[in-house]
Amino acid sequence: MSTLYRRELSREIKNSKVSPMQARRFQKAINYIRKAPASVLLKSTNLRKIQVSGRDDIYLYRVDLQHRIVLSINGEEKIIYNIVDVSDIRTG
């Protein structure tokens, strides 16, 4: 069971203008994604599958009201891509 994430992700969290409390929320969510088995994570109420052309394994994990973690789950392998603000997500 492995979780991959962009090397710059933790640096971006530290250098961003989020509060220390918000940074702890991000870290707590990332740790949960890392440690939880994929079967448990897929049943989580905070996880929603999204449609991306050419991919069928992309999900959004809700951190709080404003932020989501973009990740993919393929078997037991999880890849964290980014943390996004809800106002930046466009539905179509």
Side-chain angles (χ1 to χ4, degrees):
M1 173 169 47
S2 63
T3 302
L4 305 173
Y5 59 96
R6 287 190 4 240
R7 183 176 298 174
E8 309 88 34
L9 193 60
S10 60
R11 190 176 320 126
E12 286 176 10
I13 292 172
K14 288 178 186 175
N15 293 337
S16 68
K17 296 183 186 209
V18 298
S19 69
M21 178 186 246
Q22 187 65 39
R24 282 192 298 272
R25 283 185 190 145
F26 292 152
Q27 195 61 47
K28 182 179 176 183
I30 289 171
N31 287 339
Y32 174 74
I33 291 169
R34 266 189 188 158
K35 293 178 182 178
S39 59
V40 172
L41 191 59
L42 289 170
K43 293 178 184 177
S44 172
T45 58
N46 287 345
L47 192 72
R48 295 281 183 246
K49 189 172 191 174
I50 60 173
Q51 292 182 348
V52 176
S53 62
R55 300 286 302 262
D56 64 345
D57 61 344
I58 303 294
Y59 297 86
L60 291 178
Y61 182 84
R62 181 179 180 204
V63 177
D64 58 20
L65 292 174
Q66 287 293 93
H67 298 94
R68 307 292 186 265
I69 295 176
V70 180
L71 68 139
S72 66
I73 301 173
N74 186 6
E76 284 299 315
E77 182 179 80
K78 298 167 270 193
I79 301 173
I80 298 173
Y81 295 106
N82 206 350
I83 298 173
V84 294
D85 191 303
V86 173
S87 62
D88 295 337
I89 301 173
R90 298 177 191 225
T91 58

